[in-house]
Amino acid sequence: MSSLRSADPALRAYFKRHRLLDVYETLLCGVFIMCPEDPLKFLEEKIREIMEKGLDSILWDTCIDSSLRPKLKRISETYLHILFGLNDEQLMTDELCGKAWNFYSKNLKKVYFQEWMQYCLLRKNSRALVKRKMAVAAAHYDTRITRVVVQKWRAWVQFRKELTALAAMRIQKVFNDSLHKIILKAWHAEAQSSAKTKAYFERLVKGDQEEYFDKQDDVQYSSTSETVKDEISNIPEKAVLQIFHYINLIDLARCAQVSRTWMLLTQASSIWTDIDFSSVKHKMQDKTLINILKKWRPYVVRLNLRGCSSLHWPSFKSISECKNLQDLNVSECQGLNDESMRLISEGCPALLYLNLSYTDITNGTLRLLSRSFSNLQYLSLAYCRKFTDKGLQYLGSGKGCHKLIYLDLSGCIQISVDGFRYIANSCSEIKHLVINDMPTLTDKCIQALVEKCQQIMSVVFLDSPHLSDVAFKALAECKLVKVRIEGNNRITDLSFKLMSKSCPQIKHIYMADCQKITDVSLKTISPLKYILVLNLADCVRISDAGLRSFLEGSSGTKLRELNLTNCIHVTDASLMKIAQRCHNLTYLNMRYCESVTDAGIEALGNMTSLISIDISGTTVSDMVSDCCSHSPEAQLCYSWSQH
């Protein structure tokens, strides 16, 4: 029955109702005792007998011959005599009662003794437990006493240290006050001396000018005593300084030779906060640069050395002394190397902008960037071919370039997918990414970068032919605002669909020379609300239908720049739609749009917002100038068609 305990209740009821277990027991006992030659036939006969007699007559020995059945003697309707081996009429005897009493007594004593042993053991364990608890309590008490003593001692030591520090602070304050008085006294004396010197030279300059103009008055205007001044002298000093700020170094040196007044103006510190040596890069030598920076190094904030290939170690040593330098451009400086950058890193820790493009820097410089320029925000490594992925891994070491928001890696074809992964780990706050002229750039590179750089807002990928829609699928997580791609035949309408879905704030779309872009792309981005610049130059599959869908969308009235160069399927219908919808359009490029005629240009005649229109290579006639007469500020660029 053990096998039926978990069986279905209905099945168990069925077994009980038909007494199948009793039938099985009877048949098995018969087979085991009788051991017939043909058990199947034997079972068949016994089953017939059971069916004839009924189930109520079944006993366990029904299928056993009477000669083989055990002879049991009944005692009070039981078989106890047979089971205990007693054949007489008396079941209990004195001997058995004595044995039973002895057995019962021994068992009872054993039980009592075991219980008494358990009780003794429990008392012993209780005493041991109390002893251990007392030991723990004593140790805890000693620890608390020790802790209280240590805390009081520590408080006393801290109090003594505070008293000592307060005394030292008061002594230092007295010393600083005395030192400040001495410094202020010396500075006051120096200021008075400088003021006297300045007043002397001003009087000297004024006297020279008055003497010069007095002589002119005596010669030409003997009847008047007016003082004649040059035009610059009539302009406020702040305005003159602002004018001098836009003059290159050569012209500034020439201005300093005009007069002493101009010389003093050219030596104002505000002019030398931003120094641009790129305008004189072919004439710039170490000696000149050192002399200028030696004089103005406390004021220099921005320094442009682009293309100054004649500079060497002394110049970079002088740059390192400009402690307030924030913007440094050493692009195309052939003398720049890792040792030069080490000098700059030691002296200019406040750099925010650094342009190292077209230089021979290696991994050593990238390690310096992570260690010394923790506040760096703008970095250009364009066309630097001597560093490797290992150098990019250094960007995450040290303090790291974790504040970098602008990165230019144009032309760095040596960077692999691992390099972009290192950049992502080190510079996760990048917002503006420029990677031009990089034929080795693939979708996996962009995926590795975007995996952790989720703040990217602007991307520029000019001449990167191997990028596809997969890259844009990854970039869709970044909420782009500006996209520039040129010369790519793998990007399709799917990229525009991704931008429309994931980048609702996008403003600048530059997709030039992407041959697989069709009108579907323009229809996809038509719901976008903030597009200001749209450049689809050389996208030859764009037609009036797609352009009309975009212009009728949310950004049509906000568009400011539109470039449809070489979109040969664009006709006058698009120009008429532009004239109707694009009231803020300022720049329009329709070069080589062969289907554009005079009628389309005439439709643009009433657009006063237009500043520049380029219709070079079209069939527009010379009457186009009359059509643009309503916009006097517009510049019309066109070339005559040859018929």
Side-chain angles (χ1 to χ4, degrees), residues 218-428:
D218 292 340
V219 174
Q220 300 179 8
Y221 308 102
S222 57
S223 62
T224 181
S225 60
E226 292 183 356
T227 302
V228 179
K229 297 183 179 179
D230 59 280
E231 296 179 356
I232 297 296
S233 300
N234 295 326
I235 301 177
E237 183 177 344
K238 291 184 178 179
V240 176
L241 293 177
Q242 191 67 21
I243 294 172
F244 284 166
H245 184 75
Y246 292 100
I247 297 177
N248 60 41
L249 293 177
I250 295 178
D251 292 338
L252 195 62
R254 292 171 178 170
C255 291
Q257 298 175 358
V258 172
S259 67
R260 293 182 179 178
T261 303
W262 282 33
M263 180 186 68
L264 294 174
L265 290 174
T266 57
Q267 292 181 354
S269 59
S270 60
I271 297 178
W272 298 95
T273 57
D274 185 355
I275 306 179
D276 185 3
F277 290 108
S278 61
S279 58
V280 291
K281 56 185 177 181
H282 300 298
K283 300 180 180 180
M284 184 55 56
Q285 300 296 327
D286 291 330
K287 184 178 180 181
T288 306
L289 179 68
I290 292 171
N291 290 335
I292 293 175
L293 294 183
K294 184 177 181 181
K295 184 175 182 180
W296 303 108
R297 61 191 177 191
Y299 310 103
V300 178
V301 177
R302 289 174 291 275
L303 187 59
N304 187 354
L305 298 172
R306 184 180 185 88
C308 297
S309 56
S310 300
L311 301 181
H312 299 89
W313 186 88
S315 295
F316 299 112
K317 175 64 176 176
S318 180
I319 294 173
S320 67
E321 297 174 358
C322 301
K323 304 298 181 180
N324 298 317
L325 188 63
Q326 297 182 8
D327 186 346
L328 177 61
N329 187 342
V330 289
S331 176
E332 302 178 31
C333 290
Q334 298 178 1
L336 183 73
N337 53 32
D338 293 341
E339 182 62 22
S340 304
M341 282 304 303
R342 184 187 65 80
L343 293 174
I344 295 174
S345 66
E346 292 175 354
C348 306
L351 272 182
L352 300 178
Y353 306 82
L354 181 59
N355 190 338
L356 299 173
S357 58
Y358 295 97
T359 59
D360 294 332
I361 62 162
T362 65
N363 294 339
T365 295
L366 296 185
R367 176 177 289 183
L368 288 173
L369 295 182
S370 64
R371 292 180 177 179
S372 304
F373 302 124
S374 58
N375 296 319
L376 195 64
Q377 297 182 4
Y378 289 75
L379 175 63
S380 176
L381 300 174
Y383 304 96
C384 297
R385 303 288 177 82
K386 292 190 177 182
F387 70 88
T388 63
D389 292 341
K390 185 67 174 179
L392 296 174
Q393 188 177 9
Y394 291 146
L395 291 179
S397 62
K399 298 179 182 178
C401 297
H402 304 302
K403 296 183 180 180
L404 203 65
I405 62 175
Y406 177 93
L407 181 61
D408 188 349
L409 297 174
S410 301
C412 299
I413 58 177
Q414 76 276 15
I415 303 177
S416 66
V417 178
D418 292 336
F420 284 96
R421 188 172 291 108
Y422 295 146
I423 294 173
N425 293 332
S426 308
C427 314
S428 58

Side-chain angles (χ1 to χ4, degrees), residues 2 13 112 130 159 204 206 292 318 342 369 486 491 498 512:
S2 61
Y112 286 163
V130 170
F159 175 72
L204 186 62
K206 185 177 180 180
I292 293 175
S318 180
R342 184 187 65 80
L369 295 182
E486 182 177 345
I491 292 177
L498 293 170

